[in-house]
Amino acid sequence: VVIGAGKAWCAGADMEVLHDIGAGTAKKAKRNTGVTQTIQIRKPIIAAINGPVAGVGFCMAAWTDIRFAVSSAKFTAAFAKRGLVAEHGISYILPKLIGVSNAMDVLMSSRVFLADEAKDMGFLSKVYPDTITLYTETIAYARTMARHCSPASLDAIKSQVYQDLNTPLEDSEKNAKQLMAKSFKHPDMKEGVQSYVEKRDPNFEGLKFGRIANVKLPPRRPRT
């Protein structure tokens, strides 16, 4: 769960740094490519947006897996108002989250909009009336997921969703069938079914037994 440390979730880049870049006086820094790397993390990343989200902060929120926010949270891409472009892969992921027309509106106008509109667009999953409720409900949601869902399944599903964003249906279905066959051999599948039959909470072993994608299947017998 990613929560803003102050009143803002992430208010964007330091304007003094941007000024120095424009003036040619900024110190050379290593290129930051970490914003989009969240899709490589095996765990679900949930944003609990407690305040303003702007610029690179908007990109960071878009690259989390699930987004909740307080109703007073404000959102803006801001790039066009600063003479910048759609940064950090936002032009790739945002149309997939809220549609092309909404993405064009948000990016090109750089207007400010509130959480309720962000939810209507599909950018947010839930909106809460205050930060205490946001924190409480988001942590409860994460704990419920951690308690009842297989980490191996969560890892596989997250990989499937991002991988299939640009995958033809036939290839997606083929990959899903292969993963399903592998999941039948993974200990978490046995525990998931057994816990349901015994009417108890599951005791998943996490990724102790490896990723579902790495399960080795026996070779197919040749047809006769």
Side-chain angles (χ1 to χ4, degrees):
V1 175
V2 182
I3 300 172
K7 293 182 179 180
W9 192 78
C10 181
D14 187 324
M15 294 304 295
E16 290 186 6
V17 173
L18 291 179
H19 176 270
D20 291 345
I21 291 174
T25 59
K27 295 181 180 179
K28 188 175 181 180
K30 294 182 180 179
R31 180 173 176 159
N32 179 10
T33 58
V35 174
T36 64
Q37 296 305 305
T38 54
I39 64 175
Q40 304 298 330
I41 297 173
R42 296 180 180 183
K43 299 177 181 180
I45 301 177
I46 305 169
I49 301 172
N50 57 306
V53 173
V56 65
F58 186 67
C59 298
M60 292 170 64
W63 284 106
T64 59
D65 303 314
I66 302 167
R67 290 163 294 279
F68 302 150
V70 67
S71 60
S72 60
K74 296 180 180 180
F75 299 80
T76 179
F79 302 125
K81 290 183 177 179
R82 304 292 173 257
L84 299 171
V85 299
E87 300 176 347
H88 300 291
I90 193 68
S91 59
Y92 172 85
I93 195 65
L94 193 62
K96 292 174 170 59
L97 296 174
I98 65 176
V100 172
S101 181
N102 282 330
M104 287 291 194
D105 166 31
V106 167
L107 293 173
M108 298 182 77
S109 73
S110 289
R111 65 185 179 84
V112 176
F113 55 99
L114 296 177
D116 285 337
E117 184 178 358
K119 184 176 184 299
D120 289 341
M121 289 181 185
F123 189 75
L124 299 175
S125 295
K126 295 181 181 180
V127 174
Y128 294 103
D130 54 73
T131 54
I132 298 299
T133 306
L134 169 68
Y135 297 157
T136 302
E137 293 297 325
T138 304
I139 295 299
Y141 176 90
R143 285 176 174 166
T144 298
M145 183 185 292
R147 186 72 191 91
H148 297 282
C149 299
S150 158
S153 293
L154 295 176
D155 167 50
I157 290 169
K158 178 171 178 174
S159 296
Q160 284 179 275
V161 169
Y162 287 114
Q163 178 180 313
D164 289 352
L165 286 177
N166 288 316
T167 300
L169 174 59
E170 291 183 0
D171 293 341
S172 175
E173 187 176 16
K174 180 180 179 181
N175 181 53
K177 288 180 178 178
Q178 291 176 343
L179 285 173
M180 184 180 293
K182 291 182 176 184
S183 72
F184 291 159
K185 302 294 183 180
H186 196 281
D188 275 7
M189 185 270 184
K190 179 180 178 180
E191 172 60 17
V193 174
Q194 192 69 25
S195 64
Y196 175 81
V197 172
E198 296 176 358
K199 302 184 186 305
R200 59 172 174 81
D201 288 344
N203 185 25
F204 294 121
E205 295 287 345
L207 292 170
K208 175 181 177 181
F209 296 101
R211 308 179 75 179
I212 290 175
N214 294 337
V215 171
K216 301 296 183 182
L217 294 176
R220 291 185 177 182
R221 296 179 180 179
R223 293 183 178 180
T224 56

